Amino acid sequence: MTEVKPVSGFLNILKPPGMSSHDVVGYVRRVLHTKKVGHAGTLDPAAAGVLPVAVGTATRLIEYLEITDKTYRAEIKLGIATDSGDDTGKILTSQLDWSDFDMSTLEQVLQKFTGKIRQTPPAHSAIKINGQKACDLLRAGKDVEVPSREVTIYRLELLAHSHDMLLIDCDCSKGTYIRSLCQDIGEALGVPATMAFLLRRRVGDFTAEAALTLEELAEAGEQALLPADKYLSSMQRFDLNPKREKAFCNGLSSTVKNFTAQTESLRVYADGHFIGVGRYDKEREELLPVKVLGR
């Protein structure tokens, strides 16, 4: 009897507004008839866009997707501030009128938020405080104080604007909260602001242009699965001596001399097949297995 290989790989899903990231995982489980499914980088239910999903053994690689840079398109509503940082929250402050901002003023303000900045994530988020989600603590009626953090905004572009709306594109590092960015931009302009809509256009090598709708996934089934290594391009490739493949897959290190590791994690191949993620120990001159997938 021919052995059936379990389904494994990545999916590039275009999450629609109104579904949680967990809802999408449940949908994928039903379509592919497998329980081993996870996602990288949670999107709020109201948000839309790229949601990388891992299936089978590829779920062990989710952590490497979560650390990649991302691209967002966001609409900022001027004139109101909410407790959640988006337009689904309770209005805390409103301002009915202000003078229109000229292009020069807007560009100067956006420039202030380019590069390394500090921001405070919204309390209505899944960020963990002492092991518990901040949003869960709020729902339990507890006071939540979220510490600020440093993030990097690589690009912040103004696409359109009107009296009470700004449309921006943003390339940013992991851990960036666009809701907080929208609020902070409004504060710098002297007007309350909240995020009215969010579209995630990219997560690392996953792009919105190549993403599948849930309907397209249902039609394609397993054919939609993508090879895991293709989406780990931020890691340097390492071709292991095929004679050491079994040792690597058994969790054993391999002596490798005269090698310069350019990234902390390495994509490891044997005979052209991706077999897992490794790390190079320069002092010991050894390749160490970190995540073993095998063939």
Side-chain angles (χ1 to χ4, degrees), residues 95-146:
Q95 185 174 331
L96 297 178
D97 195 26
W98 58 90
S99 299
D100 285 342
F101 302 106
D102 58 39
M103 196 66 180
S104 176
T105 299
L106 293 172
E107 289 180 345
Q108 287 177 18
V109 167
L110 293 185
Q111 184 63 35
K112 294 178 182 178
F113 293 95
T114 304
K116 292 186 182 297
I117 65 169
R118 293 201 71 83
Q119 66 170 203
T120 302
H124 288 260
S125 68
I127 192 168
K128 290 190 175 180
I129 309 294
N130 297 323
Q132 291 185 279
K133 292 181 180 179
C135 55
D136 290 342
L137 292 172
L138 277 181
R139 280 193 286 267
K142 298 181 179 179
D143 292 331
V144 177
E145 185 173 342
V146 182

Side-chain angles (χ1 to χ4, degrees), residues 5 33 41 52 55 74 77 80 85 90 110 114 133 163 176 209 229 261 286 288:
K5 189 175 181 181
H33 308 291
V55 179
K77 170 70 175 175
I80 61 170
K90 177 183 177 182
L110 293 185
T114 304
K133 292 181 180 179
H163 176 69
T176 302
E209 290 76 12
D229 59 313
E286 288 183 339
L288 307 174

Side-chain angles (χ1 to χ4, degrees), residues 5-13 28 32 34-40 51-62 65 206 217 221-232 274 293-295:
K5 189 175 181 181
V7 292
S8 179
F10 289 145
L11 293 170
N12 184 3
I13 301 297
V28 172
L32 299 185
T34 182
K35 292 183 178 180
K36 204 168 186 180
V37 180
H39 67 83
L51 183 70
V53 174
V55 179
T57 56
T59 55
R60 303 183 62 209
L61 303 172
I62 286 177
L65 301 182
F206 294 82
L217 171 65
E222 292 182 20
Q223 298 302 313
L225 286 166
L226 305 165
D229 59 313
K230 181 181 178 182
Y231 292 87
L232 301 176
F274 175 60
L293 276 68
R295 298 200 191 195

